[in-house]
């Protein structure tokens, strides 16, 4: 049987890794591919994979995409509505790998078709966890986690009863600045934050790894997806990134997933689920590794972890506020307008302003609910950012 496959965010790091695995696979047909602004790469991949449709996020780039696809038989479209239209096309397996809250709408649309959604876009569960799960349940769709930690946990839970879980242990590399003295962090530049020790990823998630906003998002993602309490989630720094995460059960046993730091583990697991197929990843040699090390995260270094706890306690749509404020803070840092540690200051003060808003206290029942809060938080965060002076 031919599987129909779509990839949203195909021109990114996860998207390209997914294509790498598809090139080695058989028996599939590509329905939709999407990209943000890189028309040339999108068109190249759409031609290679003989996609039915290619969607570019920026409408102004539609003429370029049309030109790049001319004579190929691939349809060209653009903009948020086209993205949803593409996500509604029947597919068996859909990769959600757009970065940021922009990935929520196409992922939700794909779930309404009953497709299996391979979810790399962690922002979907952070901003709209209950809505994602309810939509999947309502339409008989399945969500398979692609974040490496959540894939590891999902695999460790295979055949287990969630009520036997004591703790979920999320590992974190600590990011590019983990060995910097804490008082130097305020002066970290974009280049400093981008030098990730283990994982090759998109720019935004790499900076989020250095600040641990990435781990904060993942803690919330784990709470939403696995339905555990915040107190059951532990974060541990594991600089080698060999243990991708673990589950501790109430009999004292810990099941962990180990592997080379290569996202094709998690993507391949979701692609081949419920079976396993050979993957082109490096094999581990325990003797060559020698040792694995761990340490507790220092909350003064990583305020994002404390903020994640506050967001989970607040509930409702606090996750949507947190993510939107974080995206604004990241834009400000990338633009050189605020310092590295001011990202968490900005998120903290946005949360402080919006936690009391009754609308934020509600659980989202529709995409519009989430988008309204996302918008409110972005406006507030930009406003607050305008009043900040860069301190480095
Ligand atoms: P990336 O920046 O490399 O790629 C993002 C993709 O989204 C690109 O195709 C880009 O063109 C597209 N895009 C960007 N903005 C868009 C918008 N507004 N509308 C539509 N499309 C847009 O990012 P990535 O590292 O591949 O990460 C993708 C997602 O997967 C993120 O949510 C990230 O947190 C998650 N993730 C990534 C990794 C990793 O190793 N890269 C690991 C775990 C989770
Ligand atoms: Mg991860």
């Amino acid at each position: 049987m031919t599987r129909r496959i779509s990839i949203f965010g195909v021109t990114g790091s996860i998207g390209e890794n997914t294509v790498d695995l598809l090139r080695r696979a058989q028996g599939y047909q590509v329905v939709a591919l999407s990209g943000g602004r890189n028309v040339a790469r999108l068109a190249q991949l759409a031609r290679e994979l003989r996609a039915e449709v290619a969607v570019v996020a920026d409408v102004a780039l539609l003429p370029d995409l049309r030109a790049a696809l001319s004579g190929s038989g691939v349809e060209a479209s653009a903009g948020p509505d086209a993205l949803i239209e593409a996500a509604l096309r029947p597919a068996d397996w859909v990769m959600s790998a757009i970065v940021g809250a922009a990935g929520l709408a196409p992922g939700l649309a794909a779930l309404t078709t009953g497709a299996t959604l391979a979810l790399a876009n962690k922002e979907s569960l952070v901003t709209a966890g209950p809505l994602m799960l309810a939509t999947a349940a309502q339409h008989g769709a399945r969500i398979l986690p692609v974040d490496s930690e959540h894939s590891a946990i999902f695999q460790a839970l295979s055949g287990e009863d969630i009520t036997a879980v004591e703790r979920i242990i999320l590992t974190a590399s600590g990011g590019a600045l983990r060995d910097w003295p804490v008082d130097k962090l305020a002066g970290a530049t974009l280049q400093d934050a981008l030098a990730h020790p283990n994982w090759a990823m998109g720019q935004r998630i790499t900076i989020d790894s250095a600040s641990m906003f990435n781990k904060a998002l993942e803690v919330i993602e784990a709470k939403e997806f696995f339905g555990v309490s915040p107190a059951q989630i532990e974060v541990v720094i594991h600089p080698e990134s060999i243990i991708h995460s673990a589950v501790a059960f109430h009999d004292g046993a810990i099941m962990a997933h180990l592997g080379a730091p290569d996202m094709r583990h998690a993507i391949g697991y979701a692609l081949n689920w419920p079976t396993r197929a050979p993957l082109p990843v490096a094999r581990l040699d325990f003797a060559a590794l020698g040792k694995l090390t761990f340490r507790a995260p220092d909350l003064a270094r990583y305020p994002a972890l404390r903020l994640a706890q506050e967001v989970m306690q607040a509930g409702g749509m606090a996750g949507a506020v947190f993510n939107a404020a974080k995206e604004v803070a990241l834009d400000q840092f990338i633009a050189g307008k605020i310092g590295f540690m001011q990202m968490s200051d900005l998120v903290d003060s946005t949360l402080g302003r919006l936690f009391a808003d009754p609308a934020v206290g509600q659980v989202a029942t529709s995409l519009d609910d989430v988008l309204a809060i996302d918008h409110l938080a972005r406006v507030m965060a930009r406003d607050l950012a305008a009043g900040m002076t860069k301190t480095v």
Side-chain angles (χ1 to χ4, degrees):
M1 194 191 83
T2 306
R3 278 172 104 192
R4 291 172 55 87
I5 287 181
S6 291
I7 307 172
F8 293 94
V10 73
T11 56
S13 168
I14 294 286
E16 291 278 3
N17 275 299
T18 306
V19 172
D20 178 75
L21 292 182
L22 282 185
R23 285 195 188 104
R24 306 158 198 262
Q26 277 163 1
Y28 67 89
Q29 181 188 332
V30 172
V31 182
L33 297 179
S34 92
R37 302 187 47 84
N38 189 346
V39 166
R41 186 63 183 147
L42 175 61
Q44 201 175 28
L45 290 169
R47 282 176 183 272
E48 179 195 337
L49 298 172
R50 299 172 194 279
E52 283 176 21
V53 60
V55 191
V56 63
D58 186 344
V59 268
L61 296 173
L62 183 57
D64 292 359
L65 183 61
R66 283 213 175 103
L69 286 173
S70 95
S72 67
V74 182
E75 258 176 82
S77 67
D81 293 341
L83 205 55
I84 293 182
E85 188 278 326
L88 289 172
R89 295 191 186 201
D92 301 297
W93 191 88
V94 177
M95 168 53 80
S96 169
I98 289 173
V99 62
L104 174 61
L108 266 178
L111 287 175
T112 65
T113 71
T116 291
L117 188 69
L119 188 63
N121 178 269
K122 62 192 76 189
E123 295 88 349
S124 294
L125 285 169
V126 172
T127 59
L131 182 62
M132 287 289 289
L133 298 186
T135 306
Q138 190 186 343
H139 297 277
R142 183 175 287 279
I143 302 175
L144 296 173
V146 174
D147 218 337
S148 61
E149 295 76 2
H150 305 73
S151 174
I153 295 159
F154 187 73
Q155 294 181 54
L157 284 171
S158 174
E160 305 285 355
D161 186 340
I162 192 79
T163 60
V165 172
E166 213 166 62
R167 277 176 306 145
I168 280 181
I169 304 163
L170 283 177
T171 51
S173 68
L177 311 175
R178 68 177 174 223
D179 296 320
W180 280 40
V182 78
D183 58 338
K184 294 272 188 300
L185 286 175
T189 65
L190 180 58
Q191 290 318 312
D192 295 329
L194 280 172
H196 199 286
N198 306 335
W199 296 92
M201 307 183 287
Q203 184 189 58
R204 299 182 72 86
I205 184 175
T206 303
I207 302 165
D208 283 351
S209 295
S211 62
M212 280 248 211
F213 266 111
N214 181 50
K215 208 51 55 182
L217 295 175
E218 290 180 357
V219 167
I220 303 169
E221 183 187 13
K223 176 200 162 265
E224 296 295 343
F225 190 73
F226 299 108
V228 294
S229 72
Q232 283 176 291
I233 306 172
E234 178 184 319
V235 174
V236 66
I237 307 244
H238 168 43
E240 297 87 358
S241 296
I242 296 295
I243 296 185
H244 296 150
S245 276
V247 178
F249 293 93
H250 59 198
D251 61 355
I254 293 181
M255 302 296 283
H257 178 283
L258 285 76
D262 184 331
M263 283 309 293
R264 292 176 302 176
H265 272 296
I267 299 167
Y269 185 76
L271 187 62
N272 298 310
W273 184 89
T275 58
R276 286 185 188 272
L279 292 175
V281 294
R283 268 46 182 170
L284 287 186
D285 175 345
F286 280 178
L289 278 172
K291 64 176 182 186
L292 297 176
T293 61
F294 307 91
R295 60 185 189 243
D298 168 4
L299 295 189
R301 179 180 282 276
Y302 302 117
L305 293 179
R306 172 181 55 79
L307 296 175
Q309 290 298 327
E310 292 175 14
V311 166
M312 290 187 292
Q313 298 305 337
M317 280 183 272
V321 175
F322 180 65
N323 180 68
K326 192 280 297 178
E327 289 190 24
V328 171
L330 186 55
D331 289 336
Q332 297 282 322
F333 175 69
I334 292 172
K337 295 195 176 130
I338 62 174
F340 183 75
M341 293 306 278
Q342 286 177 298
M343 287 193 282
S344 51
D345 294 343
L346 180 55
V347 175
D348 199 354
S349 43
T350 309
L351 288 170
R353 294 291 183 92
L354 291 180
F355 267 171
D357 190 309
V360 173
Q362 308 295 310
V363 173
T365 55
S366 70
L367 176 62
D368 285 345
D369 289 349
V370 185
L371 297 181
I373 296 300
D374 176 273
H375 179 72
L376 185 69
R378 280 173 207 267
V379 171
M380 175 67 74
R382 285 193 199 109
D383 219 39
L384 290 167
M388 284 170 99
T389 350
K390 186 172 177 179
T391 53
V392 284

